[in-house]
Amino acid sequence: QVPKDPTQRWLRELTALSQQLQQVHPNVLAKILKQRTVYQNEEIVVIDKPYGLPVHGGPGIKNCIADVLPILAKMLENMKAEPLHLCHRLDKETTGVMVLARSKEAAHKIRMLFKTRQVEKVYWAVVLGDPDPVEGIVEIPIVEKEVQSHQSHYKMTLAPNYRLRPEDGKEMKIRKNRNAESAVTRYRRLAAASACSLLELQPITGVKHQLRVHLAYGLGCPILGDHKYSHWSKLAPQKLPELTLRRLKLEQSKARHLPLHLHAHRLCLPLGQPLDFVCKPPFFFQKTLRKLELDIPKD
């Protein structure tokens, strides 16, 4: 049945769209990506990655970007084009700027730029709450841990170097977790309303789920629609503040349909001259900003 409420309808449509992307023929998927090409030259192709499309294959994944790169290359060039190459990754639910290379050499060069932190990446995220302070840097190592609960599962989490001593509240250095990776995120608030904020994020390092973990566990401001990192031990839908639910015209029981509001907004690539790419947030993201009365900054 079709939900009467427009919010429920567009959330349902978005979920259906992710499922559709898994059902379509690889040629159709390549065509969708071709339509979302924002820039190309002899070295690179830049696409605006759609929501709900995984970059890599895995259990239960029929379609992913990696698999259709040979088809996309032919569609963009000619029948003899060599397959495109991945240079970096975005989570399945993350939208926005993604760079593909036309050759192995170009891919290697761009991966090195990412590795040596020469690529400037700017994300936008709608988060619950208001970070304090409104601008700053989160620098806390991240490690993957097993969560012991009624459904055991793995999550990335913080592995801080210090903690407070229970007996006197003094800070003490903890023995480093050997598997923890150092992780650094710059953030600043662009707007705040409806018990939510719009943040601009700059990941200085590139650890798996870094932005989601730093925001949820470091700042206590989980990303809207991030059901995985809104609780530690539960695999449950995110709990939203009353005001947010009202503005989104959403019941808490339907919050599980909310998509992750994390968008790769801008990427600056120093290839010869600096190349600057910007992708507008997807329609659902813009709609949320309007409903929450978060003003998009004019850039």
Side-chain angles (χ1 to χ4, degrees):
Q1 89 254 30
V2 177
K4 286 192 187 69
D5 174 28
T7 301
Q8 313 264 327
R9 235 191 352 257
W10 70 266
L11 291 179
R12 187 74 61 85
E13 280 163 18
L14 202 65
T15 312
L17 187 72
S18 305
Q19 286 162 351
Q20 258 170 348
L21 288 171
Q22 286 303 305
Q23 308 307 325
V24 297
H25 190 279
N27 288 357
V28 177
L29 184 57
K31 204 168 179 181
I32 291 168
L33 296 180
K34 183 188 175 196
Q35 286 161 354
R36 299 178 72 99
T37 300
V38 290
Y39 176 85
Q40 48 178 319
N41 65 15
E42 56 288 343
E43 279 196 301
I44 59 170
V45 173
V46 180
I47 59 168
D48 180 1
K49 180 190 166 300
Y51 178 82
L53 180 63
V55 173
H56 295 282
I61 292 172
K62 191 164 162 276
N63 273 337
C64 65
I65 292 177
D67 289 350
V68 298
L69 292 181
I71 308 168
L72 179 60
K74 284 179 182 163
M75 284 182 177
L76 290 171
E77 284 214 62
N78 52 32
M79 297 319 284
K80 291 197 290 293
E82 74 162 295
L84 292 160
H85 302 266
L86 293 169
C87 302
H88 61 122
R89 55 176 299 158
L90 291 175
D91 287 353
K92 175 184 165 186
E93 290 88 3
T94 308
T95 54
V97 186
M98 190 167 174
V99 181
L100 306 166
R102 287 195 189 270
S103 66
K104 279 201 174 88
E105 299 74 47
H108 177 70
K109 189 158 68 174
I110 292 161
R111 283 184 202 131
M112 282 314 288
L113 289 174
F114 273 99
K115 204 173 173 183
T116 52
R117 301 177 190 171
Q118 294 181 64
V119 180
E120 193 186 327
K121 298 169 285 188
V122 176
Y123 288 75
W124 280 3
V126 178
V127 302
L128 300 184
D130 205 8
D132 181 17
V134 294
E135 185 170 343
I137 292 178
V138 181
E139 185 178 355
I140 309 173
I142 290 177
V143 72
E144 190 160 26
K145 273 194 180 158
E146 186 175 6
V147 181
Q148 304 289 347
S149 69
H150 64 292
Q151 272 173 294
S152 278
H153 58 287
Y154 282 88
K155 266 185 188 162
M156 305 304 284
T157 190
L158 301 177
N161 294 327
Y162 291 87
R163 70 181 173 85
L164 297 179
R165 255 203 318 243
E167 50 281 13
D168 58 5
K170 286 247 170 71
E171 65 274 3
M172 57 180 278
K173 206 163 168 50
I174 305 171
R175 203 176 74 228
K176 264 206 169 124
N177 185 318
R178 277 207 312 276
N179 301 321
E181 295 183 71
S182 71
V184 185
T185 304
R186 284 182 69 156
Y187 72 93
R188 75 186 174 104
R189 190 183 71 187
L190 300 175
S194 318
C196 290
S197 306
L198 172 65
L199 302 187
E200 179 187 85
L201 308 166
Q202 272 186 283
I204 310 299
T205 51
V207 179
K208 179 183 170 186
H209 295 176
Q210 173 181 319
L211 296 176
R212 296 165 66 179
V213 172
H214 271 174
L215 291 176
Y217 302 151
L219 288 172
C221 295
I223 297 176
L224 183 65
D226 194 347
H227 308 292
K228 180 168 187 166
Y229 289 107
S230 290
H231 320 270
W232 168 245
S233 57
K234 292 196 300 240
L235 281 170
Q238 189 176 50
K239 188 111 181 63
L240 299 178
E242 271 304 312
L243 178 57
T244 311
L245 287 168
R246 262 206 320 277
R247 289 271 166 87
L248 289 174
K249 296 190 171 65
L250 197 62
E251 297 157 41
Q252 177 57 48
S253 63
K254 298 286 189 287
R256 67 177 185 279
H257 298 303
L258 258 183
L260 182 77
H261 285 68
L262 179 61
H263 174 67
H265 175 60
R266 206 179 131 233
L267 195 138
C268 188
L269 205 56
L271 272 181
Q273 82 278 38
L275 297 171
D276 216 344
F277 308 110
V278 173
C279 284
K280 275 218 303 258
F283 184 57
F284 78 82
F285 196 116
Q286 294 181 41
K287 212 165 178 173
T288 298
L289 291 178
R290 277 199 303 275
K291 287 183 169 189
L292 295 176
E293 297 175 7
L294 288 165
D295 296 326
I296 292 195
K298 302 277 177 279
D299 56 357

